[in-house]
Amino acid sequence: MSEMNRRRALQLLAALGTTGFVAGCASDTDAQPTVNRGPVKIGLITPKAGGFKSIGDDITNGFQLFLDLHDKRLGGHPVELLTADEGDTAKTGKAAVDGLLKQGVLALTGVVNSAVMVGIRDTVEQAKVPLIGSNASPSSLQSVFYIWRTSYVLDEAGRALGRYLRDQLPSNGRVAIIMPENVGSPDVVRGFRQEFGATDPRISDPVTYTSANPNPGKTTFASDISRALAKEPTAVFCFFAGAAAVEFIKQLREKFSGPVYAPGFLTEGNVLENLKENALGIQTALNYSADLNNTSNRVFASAYRKKYQVTPTTYAMASYDAAQVLDQAIQLTGGSPSPQQVNLALGKIGQIDSPRGIWQFNQPRTPQQKWYLREVQRDGQVMSNVLINELATLG
């Protein structure tokens, strides 16, 4: 670690009242000289409006926090962070990427919507500029060379919960599966069935698909929920996020009070603030919990709460890690990095000391990581995702 960064780390330690930050900031390449390293441009792609805006805000906050804790540098280079609005379609996402590429970015990061991620794939690969996605990761995104993801692959959330519910659900129980008709839902369903048992009679078939509108109305899901509940399930397995998660659970709770299971996006971020009592008891699987007890998370969560006055989400954590892997990869390239050099270096960085726990990229350029079971419980006057146990290591 450079003397300047060491002083900055000690200042932050004093400000945050935490320990272990210096170790958390160190890397195998910190000893390399960083003087005279020119500025680099990083392009951040997130939605600026709509139902996924809050997720985009978390992604922005996570990346910015890493920069704040590292003198606004990556790999020793001052960073100019350029932002672009991904919108809510593949077309708007491609326009965002094209605009950032024209500005000469060294790397790209962000992307919330799976449809956008799929839609920009060819543009990124042809441009030969690395994209470190910090959210959307459909399993259909295969055989990519310049696209990396610090988040997850969507079928993994289904697999983690399928394995858990297979053993927890009574022999006479029955699960209704309710999903939005979008790019990611088939992945989640396939993963769930793979681990639960595709022919297990406790799974209702077929899946009930709903509107994929990220900004649904107060009755958008009502008829689909009634159709799914006509099968008299004892539990519901669903997959929603953002504003859609809020409306779905509110409308579901008007007709169903039984257990609800979902990938953790259902109760992540400001969703809990809007759901309040309706969220109590919901169990979710996710690759991160803000109360994980490790040094990296204590530093990250403390700094995040201090700066933004809210609990960090998996979206913020994955974006923080996107900055972390870029920091290490750029450091490995030396003084004048090119996008192609950074991309090659991403494959050499090894294990990441992350707030979620130690992880590393696998061959498909996605994390091999732990998944955790969480339950929404009351924490004083607020609702909180409480860590219950570890479910599986997937990836």
Side-chain angles (χ1 to χ4, degrees), residues 268-308:
E268 195 73 346
N270 63 6
V271 171
L272 283 183
E273 300 174 19
N274 291 297
L275 283 177
K276 297 183 171 58
E277 300 290 325
N278 284 322
L280 273 175
I282 293 177
Q283 291 193 338
T284 62
L286 201 59
N287 60 347
Y288 175 68
S289 175
D291 55 358
L292 280 169
N293 187 20
N294 62 62
T295 300
S296 293
N297 190 49
R298 288 194 295 272
V299 171
F300 166 70
S302 176
Y304 195 92
R305 290 186 177 106
K306 183 177 181 63
K307 180 171 183 178
Y308 300 113

Side-chain angles (χ1 to χ4, degrees), residues 80-160:
E80 182 181 356
L81 188 61
L82 306 177
T83 63
D85 184 2
E86 76 176 66
D88 54 10
T89 67
K91 182 178 180 180
T92 55
K94 184 179 183 304
V97 171
D98 287 340
L100 291 170
L101 291 174
K102 288 178 181 178
Q103 297 180 71
V105 294
L106 180 66
L108 299 161
T109 190
V111 188
V112 170
N113 193 324
S114 292
V116 170
M117 179 62 85
V118 172
I120 65 176
R121 170 193 167 148
D122 291 346
T123 300
V124 172
E125 292 289 300
Q126 291 166 11
K128 297 182 179 180
V129 172
L131 164 63
I132 298 83
S134 46
N135 188 53
S137 189
S139 62
S140 60
L141 204 67
Q142 299 292 333
S143 302
V144 290
F145 188 70
Y146 283 91
I147 298 179
W148 307 72
R149 286 141 288 172
T150 57
S151 51
Y152 50 81
V153 179
L154 281 168
D155 67 329
E156 293 171 356
R159 288 170 59 195

Side-chain angles (χ1 to χ4, degrees), residues 123-389:
T123 300
V124 172
E125 292 289 300
Q126 291 166 11
K128 297 182 179 180
V129 172
L131 164 63
I132 298 83
S134 46
N135 188 53
S137 189
S139 62
S140 60
L141 204 67
Q142 299 292 333
S143 302
V144 290
F145 188 70
Y146 283 91
I147 298 179
W148 307 72
R149 286 141 288 172
T150 57
S151 51
Y152 50 81
V153 179
L154 281 168
D155 67 329
E156 293 171 356
R159 288 170 59 195
L161 272 175
R163 186 177 302 183
Y164 170 72
L165 274 181
R166 177 189 62 199
D167 300 328
Q168 294 293 317
L169 198 69
S171 58
N172 62 346
R174 190 167 180 81
V175 181
I177 302 176
I178 310 176
M179 301 272 157
E181 195 167 12
N182 61 21
V183 173
S185 288
D187 286 346
V188 176
V189 173
R190 184 178 61 257
F192 181 77
R193 283 178 165 160
Q194 175 184 331
E195 297 293 339
F196 192 100
T199 61
D200 194 308
R202 294 176 294 174
I203 300 179
S204 293
D205 199 38
V207 175
T208 300
Y209 283 104
T210 74
S211 165
N213 187 345
N215 290 292
K218 297 186 181 301
T219 60
T220 298
F221 304 116
S223 61
D224 295 319
I225 288 172
S226 295
R227 182 158 47 93
L229 296 182
K231 304 168 187 176
E232 299 184 351
T234 54
V236 166
F237 175 60
C238 58
F239 169 57
F240 293 88
V246 174
E247 278 305 324
F248 174 79
I249 291 299
K250 284 183 177 180
Q251 292 171 42
L252 177 67
R253 285 308 191 201
E254 291 177 359
K255 303 176 181 180
F256 181 77
S257 60
V260 176
Y261 304 90
F265 328 115
L266 184 76
T267 59
E268 195 73 346
N270 63 6
V271 171
L272 283 183
E273 300 174 19
N274 291 297
L275 283 177
K276 297 183 171 58
E277 300 290 325
N278 284 322
L280 273 175
I282 293 177
Q283 291 193 338
T284 62
L286 201 59
N287 60 347
Y288 175 68
S289 175
D291 55 358
L292 280 169
N293 187 20
N294 62 62
T295 300
S296 293
N297 190 49
R298 288 194 295 272
V299 171
F300 166 70
S302 176
Y304 195 92
R305 290 186 177 106
K306 183 177 181 63
K307 180 171 183 178
Y308 300 113
Q309 305 301 307
V310 292
T311 297
T313 63
T314 189
Y315 315 118
M317 177 277 299
S319 190
Y320 180 89
D321 274 3
Q324 183 173 193
V325 300
L326 276 173
D327 178 54
Q328 294 187 29
I330 294 171
Q331 184 76 272
L332 287 172
T333 66
S336 301
S338 69
Q340 294 77 25
Q341 288 173 330
V342 172
N343 195 66
L344 289 173
L346 284 165
K348 301 176 182 178
I349 59 178
Q351 291 187 329
I352 308 300
D353 186 5
S354 165
R356 78 188 84 177
I358 299 293
W359 67 271
Q360 63 186 26
F361 284 121
N362 57 20
Q363 189 173 3
R365 290 163 158 69
T366 61
Q368 183 176 357
Q369 62 188 328
K370 292 181 179 180
W371 284 79
Y372 305 94
L373 179 70
R374 314 179 311 168
E375 180 176 291
V376 179
Q377 298 178 9
R378 187 179 286 105
D379 182 9
Q381 298 299 312
V382 300
M383 299 296 118
S384 178
N385 288 297
V386 177
L387 179 66
I388 303 299
N389 57 46

